[in-house]
Amino acid sequence: MLEAAERVAGRSLRSDAIDPPAVRGGAIRGLFCGGTLCAEAQLVLLRAGLAVRSNVPVPGARRAARDGSGHLLLDLGEDAYTRGRPHPMIEPELRAPRIVEALADPRVAVLLLDVVIGYGAHPDPAGAVAEALARARRRRAFVVASVTGTDADPQGYARQVARLREAGVRVAASNAEAAALAAACVGAGARAAVSRAESPAPDAARRSAAARPDRRGASRRG
């Protein structure tokens, strides 16, 4: 399955073992442009034994609290956030204030992000993330992300990964691995959580598809 996914993606999806940093206490804050990626991350955290909240909770997760407490994963492409405004895959600047806010929140130990590239998506979503991180006054949280796309996409997978790494972001090979790393950072299964992450094959299948506009003109990726 993984070999087939790698043929579709046109690159290796295997990554070296990731050694999670020693983050003690605190919560995971996930800010997602892709709804499917947000759902997948919730499932990974639940599998790691964490209590998860979201504005679009999967079975087993709870709805987000008003005070934003707990391990919170938000789908910023959900209708409540996109009425009368572009989808965050098209305009990732809409996520920037929430990135700055999360990094200033002393409760947040890990910031989990997705970057989705392809036709119809923003020309440099990783650059938008890097700019938001640069504006943050406090960088207490460990930042981990994944890039969904290929080098055949206009933004270029390798260029996006490099941009994130330059900004101090730990880039995982898949969304599931990024979520597992976030779980490991807060002590859920430690290093074993990373090795139990789901296969990146579903991500690879999405990476190979060109983004298709939905009714709001947004990418359907994620």
Side-chain angles (χ1 to χ4, degrees):
M1 187 74 170
L2 179 56
E3 291 178 356
E6 289 177 330
R7 287 196 294 272
V8 171
R11 60 182 177 79
S12 173
L13 296 175
R14 297 171 175 82
S15 62
D16 296 331
I18 298 178
D19 187 14
V23 177
R24 302 198 178 277
I28 297 169
R29 179 72 51 82
L31 301 175
F32 289 85
C33 295
T36 301
L37 299 176
C38 181
E40 180 183 50
Q42 290 179 61
L43 293 172
V44 172
L45 298 191
L46 287 169
R47 184 175 299 167
L50 296 176
V52 182
R53 292 180 178 271
S54 177
N55 61 324
V56 284
V58 300
R62 300 176 64 186
R63 185 154 292 278
R66 289 183 179 274
D67 63 358
S69 60
H71 302 302
L72 176 62
L73 306 188
L74 296 176
D75 171 13
L76 299 179
E78 199 266 337
D79 287 349
Y81 295 107
T82 55
R83 290 194 184 99
R85 61 183 67 178
H87 191 279
M89 287 186 190
I90 296 173
E91 185 44 79
E93 179 62 26
L94 296 174
R95 179 166 60 173
R98 293 186 176 273
I99 291 176
V100 174
E101 177 184 292
L103 292 176
D105 189 337
R107 300 173 298 179
V108 176
V110 181
L111 178 60
L112 177 61
L113 305 171
D114 64 338
V115 170
V116 182
I117 61 177
Y119 294 97
H122 187 273
D124 185 20
V129 169
E131 290 175 6
L133 294 177
R135 291 204 299 268
R137 295 183 179 180
R138 186 176 183 180
R139 286 286 300 273
R140 172 183 178 272
F142 173 74
V143 185
V144 60
S146 66
V147 178
T148 300
T150 74
D151 279 322
D153 287 316
Q155 301 87 346
Y157 176 87
R159 293 195 300 274
Q160 292 293 293
V161 169
R163 187 75 176 90
L164 291 172
R165 286 176 174 163
E166 288 171 0
V169 178
R170 183 75 64 89
V171 182
S174 71
N175 179 64
E177 186 176 280
L181 177 57
C185 287
V186 296
R191 300 181 184 182
V194 177
S195 64
R196 289 198 302 267
E198 295 179 326
S199 166
D203 283 325
R206 288 193 293 272
R207 287 170 184 153
S208 66
R212 300 187 302 277
D214 65 10
R215 62 186 174 83
R216 294 186 299 272
S219 164
R220 293 182 61 85
R221 285 188 172 188

